[in-house]
Amino acid sequence: MKLLKKMTMEIVLAGMLLADGAAASVTVGGTRVVYPLDQREVTVKLNNDSYAPSLVQVWIDDGDPNAKPSEVKVPFLITPPIFRMNAQKAQTLRVMYSGEALPQDRESIYWLNVLDIPPKANRAHEANTLSLAYRTRIKVFVRPASLPGKPEDAPAQLTWKLTASPNGKGQAISVSNPTPYYVSFSEVDVESTGHIFTNKRGGMVAPRASTILPIDAMNAVAAGAKVRYIAISDYGGPIDGDAPLGE
């Protein structure tokens, strides 16, 4: 047990060595996980695309990306939690719902973390090589049975309004979601008087909630503007749509 705790701590500390532009050797087979609550478990496939083995740790958090795996409290078990992945091999994760109470009238969201620790350099010419751990973090949508409607139809039911930017500079758009499904965006554009104002950072709106998305507009959006969006489906594909922008 002490050895496992020590290993877990070392892996978590290694996970802090993340760098922009790094590439993970271990990849997740999908951009999101959908967990139907009427199923006992779902599986997630990992692949090690490199020619070297990796040590991998996986865990689920409830929204805090800085939470340590030993401290998170979520209603899911994931196995195996720590394992070695040989080069050019695959590994299947089993995610199991523990049965704790969750809302039954809307989706809940969690995040799956996959921490990829490459092997240490063991050759003379690799002595000065810096190896970085890489963490992949994707959304886990927990979906109760018998929710009304279809998730792919949810983006078309959103309502959009022009609002002031939260920082007090310029304009933003407020999007309201009357459906029981989360809706994520990869891009949102506002077309107004021949100009296009873009939010390329995307965003997400929770079920039966609203959120504000910034746009690159300084009080330039006029009445009659239109929103064009790219939402993301359960399979990671695009759902293109447009809607009027209210005031």
Side-chain angles (χ1 to χ4, degrees):
M1 179 62 70
K2 290 183 178 179
L3 177 60
L4 179 59
K5 288 183 178 179
K6 182 175 184 294
M7 180 185 297
T8 300
M9 181 61 70
E10 289 175 350
I11 292 176
V12 171
L13 292 176
M16 298 178 183
L17 298 174
L18 302 179
D20 291 338
S25 298
V26 176
T27 57
V28 184
T31 61
R32 62 206 52 237
V33 176
V34 176
Y35 194 115
L37 272 182
D38 57 353
Q39 293 187 16
R40 291 188 56 187
E41 65 179 59
V42 298
T43 58
V44 180
K45 186 178 180 181
L46 305 182
N47 291 286
N48 184 356
D49 300 323
S50 78
Y51 291 95
S54 284
L55 184 61
V56 180
Q57 182 180 25
V58 295
W59 70 97
I60 294 177
D61 70 68
D62 61 359
D64 181 0
N66 299 314
K68 297 178 181 178
S70 59
E71 297 175 349
V72 295
K73 297 184 183 301
V74 297
F76 295 93
L77 303 174
I78 187 166
T79 183
I82 301 175
F83 52 92
R84 171 190 168 105
M85 278 194 75
N86 289 327
Q88 301 293 301
K89 296 295 183 180
Q91 172 71 47
T92 298
L93 306 176
R94 298 173 61 204
V95 182
M96 294 161 282
Y97 174 47
S98 62
E100 298 176 33
L102 287 175
Q104 297 298 307
D105 64 340
R106 68 193 68 191
E107 288 184 327
S108 301
I109 190 170
Y110 294 87
W111 278 260
L112 170 66
N113 299 264
V114 177
L115 184 62
D116 171 12
I117 311 295
K120 292 183 178 180
N122 56 9
R123 301 176 186 174
H125 69 275
E126 295 178 338
N128 295 323
T129 299
L130 177 63
S131 296
L132 296 178
Y134 190 95
R135 182 174 71 168
T136 300
R137 189 168 180 263
I138 66 173
K139 297 170 184 174
V140 179
F141 296 104
V142 183
R143 185 170 296 164
S146 302
L147 289 183
K150 298 178 180 179
E152 61 268 27
D153 295 335
Q157 300 178 52
L158 305 178
T159 56
W160 306 79
K161 291 185 179 180
L162 187 65
T163 187
S165 176
N167 61 16
K169 299 179 180 179
Q171 297 166 301
I173 46 179
S174 173
V175 53
S176 298
N177 180 6
T179 79
Y181 302 97
Y182 278 88
V183 180
S184 298
F185 306 97
S186 60
E187 186 174 327
V188 176
D189 296 334
V190 175
E191 184 178 321
S192 175
T193 61
H195 298 280
I196 295 179
F197 305 96
T198 299
N199 176 340
K200 292 185 177 179
R201 289 173 291 178
M204 181 175 68
V205 58
R208 302 192 174 98
S210 299
T211 193
I212 293 178
L213 302 176
I215 54 174
D216 298 328
M218 293 296 293
N219 302 315
V221 177
K226 178 179 290 187
V227 174
R228 300 187 186 277
Y229 59 81
I230 302 177
I232 305 173
S233 73
D234 281 354
Y235 306 101
I239 301 175
D240 299 323
D242 58 66
L245 183 62
E247 297 183 15

